[in-house]
Amino acid sequence: MFYYYLKLASKSIKRTPWLSGLMMLAIALGIGACMTTITVNYLMSANPIPEKSDQLYYVQLDSWSPHFAAREPNEPPDQLTWTDATNLMQAQQAFRQSAMASSGGVVQPDNPDVKPFMASLRLNFADFFPMFNAPFLYGSGWQYSDDTARKQVAVISKETNDRVFGGENSVGKSITIAGEMFTVVGVLDEWVLVPRFYDVTTGAFSETEDVFIPFYMKQVMQLSNGGNTNCWKSPEGEGFEAFLMSECINYQMWVELPTDAERDAYMTFLNAYVDEQKALGRFPRPHNNRLSDVMTWMETEEVVADDAQIMMYMAFLFLFVCILNTVGLLLSKFATRNGDVALRRAIGATKGAIFAQYITETALIGLIGGVLGLALASLGLQAIESLYGDFISELVHLDATMVVLSFGIAITASVLAGCYPAWRVCSIPPASQLKTQ
Amino acid sequence: MKTNLEFGPICRALLRNKVGAVLIALQIALTMTIVVNAIFIIVERQALMQRESGIDEANSFYLTSTGFGNDFEPKRVIEQDLDVIRNTPGVIDAIQINAIPISGGGWSMSLTTEPGDDQEDVSTANYFVDAHGINALDLEVIAGRNFTATDIRWRERNQPDWPDNAMITKALAEKLFPDIPWQSVVGKTVYIGDDEPVIVTGIVDKLQAPWIGWSELENAMLSPEKMVSESTRYFIRTEPGERDRLMAELEDTLANAYGNRLIRNVTTVTETRERSYRQHSAMIKILSTVMVLLTLITAMGIIGLTSFNVNRRRKQIGTRRALGASKQAIVRYFMLENVIISTTGILLGVAMTIGLNMLLIEWFAMTALDWYYIPAGMVVLFVVGQLAVLGPALKAAATPPAIATRTV
């Protein structure tokens, strides 16, 4: 029976190619617009580390000025001072913890054929790698004892390893970074994080760094500040140490706290720490410390761009207009078939059979519209990539979820659009229609 | 009036096919909602993109030089580099600078007119330039004086204090001292980072900060200094038409002049502007496309539905023609029918447009729609409706009267 309806549907579509084409085009455009914008939003708001996003917490301490908040309304600063980052690390009160900074430096390969190049650096503690499930190709991260001993060890990205060591296992080899010799202890595999949640202060969709070295190297090598540096008061005194000891913020910190009890305990510890610092004359503001898990932090930092959301809502409205359009056109189309329907009803077809026949037709139109829409969506994503540039390239690929979703929306939309016209056409009284023929 | 008399039959005919008319009206309302709000966003973004940075964007570029190795002497290399660049034919001027206007990355400090950390402060972007800064950035000193060679100092790594004098933009002068004319700000003392005094020795016409989304975009301060740093940026202004040639040439010259350094990120200001404003230009293009497609879809919908009505009423039209109605009367019938539907849709659209705008204000902190967008949108949608209906109406008018005599 279904096959018969399908045959009738395709015949009917062929009979009115322009009208049917217009309906398919409308559905395709609506679906294409929705898919494109939903994909961008979906990937922007993706959970980058679903297995433990509710156990990782970003640490914020309100070390700001007594006269004004770091961010309105009364939000603590988004980064820590060197003093607080190092104090919290020394306390070792969490299951895992890592303070972080970003910087840059020239990598000088020993091989004279490979030109020196500028590498992005992340300065972090040993826990960084297990905490964020960093994938290793060779070797592993370093130990906390290497951090405290200020050992010059490095973990390098796959790309850096390919560039400097031609892709071979470089664990144990040395590499010159920003003028100092480091020993490679680990090589990461491809590590794509969308968003790169561990540091969103320099843009949520940046790539993971080229080289990872211990945090204290910042002090040892007097490395430059990456990312944003904000100060509510000028450093006291001159030189690098004075800057490190100042109230300037440039450091991020994450802790891993597997249970709620541990989280509460860590919060208590943070408050006690701030009280301690208050006694030393710091932290002039009232207690305002935060522990935000990954998704909360992404929301606070507004990782999903407003423009992307505006476009998505516009696309939904667009789809709605396309559906209205389709309903109108279907009504017209089916109304021309009143005679046929009346005849079929008169010779015994049930209302249900008629309804099924016309719904099949609209579903077919929806399906074709959906396929077209999917093609339009991949064009749309390409257009978005070319409009926004490379940084967004991780955000513009269709995945299986999106494909299924788009067919779902297309068919649901067109069947919903077809319901009213199909109901109208099957509820006409056969007698009156037959009479006028 | 003949047209007035036709309203009655048209309305009664519409009531017999309510759903079709309501669908078109709804479609027009939604289209108007989206189109008007989209145009408003587009115009706003275009206004943002047309702001000028104050520098000679078309003829300027910049590059980064990063030295490495233990025997790298920043001061000597910087002096040499600047000498080489400035003496290259085609270069108007060049400077070492800490940040590039409208590029997205830079320094900012807070300024107050009285010392103390409890004073009302004004934030400004800080640019470190030498006496060539005005020429290289294509600025004009409109009050006071330019820096001289004796003003310039070297800022060592992590040196926190500031030179004794500075130049500021006219906009910043007016923000700091709103009560006096900007010319008289020359000679005033401002305090940087709460308590360090700096004397304003010059006012420049216009120079934007590095952050285009910043509310204080026009606030900039020029500090007479060069920086001791391995990694440094040179900003180069060229004669018109020489930029692209010099970019390649200077990259080679500098790379060859000193071995232990990398020359990277050779970038034009034009490209920087494009990258900084890319989000806005993308939004403009996307919304424009959506608008055009949506209007087309709605127009096609109107055409489709009217054509259908025309086909269904062929017999009635033929009868009317046979009874003496002119072709114009038939066209007028369909046009008037569309006027009724469109007006309903447009009135609903006005309410929805304002509603969507209010939601956008609430959710995305956007600004309120200017009133004149609404009548403009009404006119556009009305014209689109009339144009769309014209084709099918003319077709209807071509119905031969003889059809009335057949098949009945």
Side-chain angles (χ1 to χ4, degrees):
Chain A
M1 208 59 193
F2 178 67
Y3 179 71
Y4 174 63
Y5 289 153
L6 217 54
K7 222 169 77 182
L8 280 181
S10 75
K11 263 195 157 161
S12 151
I13 287 170
K14 276 182 206 143
R15 199 158 44 211
T16 51
W18 285 104
L19 205 62
S20 308
L22 185 58
M23 284 188 274
M24 289 170 196
L25 186 69
I27 291 181
L29 283 171
I31 295 292
C34 278
M35 277 307 97
T36 309
T37 53
I38 292 175
T39 303
V40 172
N41 276 272
Y42 164 79
L43 291 171
M44 274 187 167
S45 58
N47 186 340
I49 183 159
E51 59 277 21
K52 59 204 283 194
S53 67
D54 52 351
Q55 295 171 24
L56 298 176
Y57 295 90
Y58 191 76
V59 179
Q60 283 174 282
L61 300 177
D62 201 344
S63 58
W64 219 243
S65 153
H67 305 292
F68 53 94
R71 297 197 282 186
E72 292 301 330
N74 196 26
E75 286 289 309
D78 60 350
Q79 299 186 102
L80 300 178
T81 63
W82 173 267
T83 311
D84 296 323
T86 49
N87 284 347
L88 294 182
M89 283 309 300
Q90 272 154 25
Q92 292 282 309
Q93 291 290 316
F95 171 57
R96 284 187 181 127
Q97 54 235 302
S98 177
M100 301 186 304
S102 60
S103 188
V106 175
V107 169
Q108 290 169 262
D110 288 342
N111 181 349
D113 295 341
V114 186
K115 276 194 182 166
F117 62 94
M118 192 72 187
S120 54
L121 299 181
R122 178 140 301 264
L123 297 122
N124 54 270
F125 282 86
D127 280 351
F128 175 89
F129 304 104
M131 190 154 73
F132 298 137
N133 294 345
F136 277 91
L137 191 62
Y138 303 117
S140 64
W142 57 82
Q143 303 300 315
Y144 182 59
S145 54
D146 299 331
D147 276 311
T148 50
R150 287 158 167 70
K151 267 208 194 149
Q152 298 194 336
V153 288
V155 167
I156 59 177
S157 70
K158 184 168 186 296
E159 200 188 334
T160 309
N161 190 53
D162 289 347
R163 192 160 175 177
V164 180
F165 299 106
E168 60 186 59
N169 186 347
S170 59
V171 172
K173 295 198 175 168
S174 62
I175 181 171
T176 308
I177 302 161
E180 294 282 332
M181 284 276 251
F182 281 79
T183 309
V184 177
V185 293
V187 176
L188 292 177
D189 205 345
E190 295 279 355
W191 195 22
V192 180
L193 280 179
V194 182
R196 193 196 66 184
F197 68 99
Y198 62 68
D199 183 8
V200 292
T201 59
T202 51
F205 303 103
S206 314
E207 289 172 10
T208 52
E209 282 78 1
D210 300 322
V211 174
F212 301 79
I213 57 176
F215 186 72
Y216 290 126
M217 290 301 135
K218 168 94 185 169
Q219 189 173 28
V220 174
M221 296 164 64
Q222 306 210 339
L223 290 169
S224 60
N225 298 338
N228 300 321
T229 309
N230 291 303
C231 317
W232 61 271
K233 80 180 184 193
S234 305
E236 289 162 16
E238 296 193 5
F240 196 79
E241 282 299 316
F243 170 77
L244 285 187
M245 295 309 138
S246 72
E247 291 294 340
C248 296
I249 53 166
N250 183 232
Y251 311 95
Q252 310 89 41
M253 181 161 180
W254 286 90
V255 290
E256 182 172 344
L257 305 164
T259 64
D260 285 358
E262 279 169 279
R263 189 199 57 212
D264 296 343
Y266 199 78
M267 196 67 198
T268 315
F269 158 71
L270 285 182
N271 290 335
Y273 168 75
V274 168
D275 283 335
E276 226 171 78
Q277 294 291 314
K278 275 178 187 287
L280 297 171
R282 295 184 62 226
F283 286 88
R285 299 178 70 75
H287 275 250
N288 189 14
N289 308 319
R290 302 274 168 87
L291 284 176
S292 319
D293 66 24
V294 175
M295 292 321 275
T296 314
W297 182 238
M298 296 298 101
E299 219 164 280
T300 314
E301 291 293 282
E302 294 177 347
V303 161
V304 180
D306 277 1
D307 277 4
Q309 287 184 49
I310 293 177
M311 278 190 249
M312 187 172 71
Y313 293 126
M314 291 269 189
F316 281 138
L317 284 178
F318 187 111
L319 177 64
F320 190 54
V321 171
C322 293
I323 291 175
L324 285 180
N325 196 55
T326 309
V327 175
L329 295 176
L330 281 174
L331 268 179
S332 326
K333 191 177 170 185
F334 290 172
T336 57
R337 238 88 59 74
N338 283 355
D340 303 1
V341 174
L343 190 63
R344 281 196 59 200
R345 293 270 284 123
I347 57 178
T350 62
K351 266 190 182 185
I354 305 281
F355 189 79
Q357 180 198 330
Y358 285 95
I359 277 294
T360 310
E361 185 173 336
T362 58
L364 188 62
I365 289 173
L367 192 70
I368 299 174
V371 174
L372 280 176
L374 206 60
L376 286 179
S378 62
L379 279 181
L381 287 172
Q382 269 174 30
I384 287 210
E385 185 172 4
S386 72
L387 286 176
Y388 282 93
D390 296 337
F391 82 95
I392 205 157
S393 58
E394 293 301 335
L395 295 177
V396 291
H397 49 84
L398 283 170
D399 61 9
T401 324
M402 285 295 115
V403 172
V404 172
L405 189 64
S406 68
F407 278 108
I409 295 185
I411 294 176
T412 315
S414 56
V415 168
L416 279 180
C419 270
Y420 177 72
W423 174 76
R424 270 257 295 238
V425 80
C426 73
S427 57
I428 47 165
S432 67
Q433 284 292 322
L434 286 176
K435 252 189 286 179
T436 62
Q437 289 299 308
Chain B
M1 277 290 287
K2 206 171 174 188
T3 42
N4 282 346
L5 290 176
E6 283 171 357
F7 267 111
I10 293 174
C11 287
R12 279 191 292 279
L14 274 178
L15 285 175
R16 288 181 68 99
N17 184 16
K18 281 189 291 282
V19 181
V22 166
L23 284 172
I24 290 286
L26 260 180
Q27 216 174 313
I28 290 174
L30 274 168
T31 306
M32 177 172 166
T33 308
I34 297 176
V35 168
V36 172
N37 276 288
I39 289 185
F40 176 62
I41 296 176
I42 290 172
V43 170
E44 243 190 352
R45 299 293 169 100
Q46 265 166 351
L48 278 185
M49 292 183 67
Q50 272 153 11
R51 298 175 304 182
E52 284 172 8
S53 62
I55 60 178
D56 184 4
E57 291 186 19
N59 301 307
S60 300
F61 70 98
Y62 55 93
L63 53 86
T64 307
S65 153
T66 307
F68 53 87
N70 293 329
D71 48 358
F72 187 80
E73 298 168 64
K75 281 191 194 177
R76 192 173 62 80
V77 175
I78 290 166
E79 294 288 18
Q80 275 177 2
D81 283 348
L82 285 175
D83 222 39
V84 168
I85 302 171
R86 284 170 186 164
N87 288 318
T88 304
V91 171
I92 292 183
D93 217 334
I95 46 169
Q96 181 203 28
I97 197 165
N98 62 324
I100 306 297
I102 68 171
S103 68
W107 283 50
S108 86
M109 287 296 293
S110 64
L111 298 179
T112 53
T113 52
E114 298 286 334
D117 63 0
D118 50 352
Q119 300 291 324
E120 191 75 23
D121 60 1
V122 176
S123 294
T124 178
N126 299 81
Y127 294 110
F128 304 162
V129 300
D130 63 11
H132 295 260
I134 294 296
N135 195 23
L137 294 168
D138 190 25
L139 308 178
E140 199 187 330
V141 181
I142 51 175
R145 62 170 182 86
N146 188 4
F147 298 140
T148 59
T150 50
D151 289 325
I152 315 298
R153 67 158 200 187
W154 282 100
R155 181 186 278 256
E156 298 294 333
R157 288 181 198 91
N158 303 299
Q159 182 179 347
D161 64 336
W162 293 81
D164 301 330
N165 65 322
M167 287 195 280
I168 60 176
T169 57
K170 183 176 156 215
L172 177 56
E174 284 168 343
K175 279 243 178 69
L176 281 165
F177 299 94
D179 304 327
I180 59 172
W182 54 268
Q183 290 90 342
S184 11
V185 175
V186 176
K188 294 270 182 201
T189 301
V190 293
Y191 297 86
I192 191 162
D194 299 344
D195 46 18
E196 200 183 334
V198 172
I199 300 167
V200 177
T201 50
I203 310 274
V204 297
D205 52 345
K206 181 180 175 70
L207 176 61
Q208 287 190 331
W211 313 279
I212 58 154
W214 197 35
S215 55
E216 314 292 339
L217 182 63
E218 304 296 335
N219 293 2
M221 169 175 157
L222 297 168
S223 224
E225 49 192 331
K226 292 196 269 195
M227 295 141 282
V228 182
S229 167
E230 276 78 15
S231 203
T232 187
R233 229 180 245 134
Y234 301 124
F235 181 94
I236 300 146
R237 180 176 165 216
T238 69
E239 306 274 2
E242 298 281 356
R243 185 192 67 189
D244 296 349
R245 179 180 67 80
L246 284 167
M247 281 172 74
E249 188 184 316
L250 283 173
E251 183 173 3
D252 281 352
T253 313
L254 291 178
N256 294 333
Y258 193 85
N260 272 4
R261 61 119 159 254
L262 308 174
I263 299 293
R264 15 176 225 119
N265 303 341
V266 187
T267 316
T268 64
V269 178
T270 321
E271 194 187 324
T272 303
R273 164 172 285 271
E274 239 168 58
R275 205 175 45 222
S276 294
Y277 282 102
R278 184 175 279 162
Q279 177 201 352
H280 299 309
S281 68
M283 189 78 167
I284 289 174
K285 285 177 192 148
I286 292 170
L287 288 180
S288 310
T289 316
V290 165
M291 254 168 48
V292 171
L293 286 178
L294 194 57
T295 312
L296 279 179
I297 291 264
T298 302
M300 301 285 254
I302 296 175
I303 294 174
L305 226 60
T306 318
S307 302
F308 161 74
N309 279 336
V310 168
N311 283 337
R312 206 176 47 173
R313 295 183 200 156
R314 269 172 77 81
K315 248 182 273 174
Q316 287 91 327
I317 295 166
T319 312
R320 274 194 70 195
R321 292 277 286 127
L323 290 176
S326 65
K327 285 190 174 184
Q328 289 93 317
I330 304 294
V331 173
R332 195 166 56 229
Y333 177 92
F334 285 102
M335 302 290 260
L336 270 175
E337 187 185 64
N338 180 262
V339 167
I340 295 170
I341 298 175
S342 289
T343 309
T344 320
I346 287 170
L347 289 179
L348 185 63
V350 172
M352 284 167 58
T353 303
I354 298 172
L356 179 64
N357 185 238
M358 281 162 67
L359 284 179
L360 289 176
I361 294 170
E362 172 111 13
W363 292 344
F364 302 108
M366 286 198 8
T367 40
L369 198 67
D370 289 313
W371 66 270
Y372 48 80
Y373 282 89
I374 295 196
M378 291 168 81
V379 171
V380 169
L381 265 293
F382 191 80
V383 170
V384 167
Q386 290 286 291
L387 285 179
V389 93
L390 194 60
L394 287 175
K395 214 176 120 195
T399 309
I403 206 159
T405 60
R406 291 187 205 139
T407 71
V408 178

